[in-house]
Amino acid sequence: PMLNELNALESRIAQVVALCHELRADNDLLREQLAVVEADKQSLTVRMGAACARLEQLADQLPEAKA
């Protein structure tokens, strides 16, 4: 009985350790994905700012509407 309990405990500890390793790997992957997404967001923010500036420049070149 005691040996069976120890074997069961050993098995559960091994499962917890395996889960911990799996979660750590998932976490590393998610951190990498987040870094990529943040870089993309920064790039898009810069591009959007440039596009807005260009649109404002073009709008300033339009002739004034006369009523």
Side-chain angles (χ1 to χ4, degrees):
M2 179 73 147
L3 187 57
N4 288 343
E5 289 179 20
L6 288 176
N7 286 338
L9 181 59
E10 180 182 15
S11 175
R12 291 189 65 179
I13 290 172
Q15 290 174 348
V16 169
V17 169
L19 179 60
C20 183
H21 288 148
E22 182 181 339
L23 291 173
R24 182 167 290 151
D26 288 349
N27 195 26
D28 289 343
L29 179 61
L30 288 170
R31 287 180 193 271
E32 291 173 13
Q33 290 174 345
L34 178 61
V36 169
V37 169
E38 287 176 340
D40 287 348
K41 178 185 167 211
Q42 178 64 27
S43 173
L44 290 171
T45 299
V46 170
R47 288 177 59 196
M48 191 165 56
C52 286
R54 180 70 177 133
L55 286 172
E56 287 177 11
Q57 181 185 35
L58 291 171
D60 289 343
Q61 294 175 4
L62 291 174
E64 293 293 324
K66 297 188 177 170

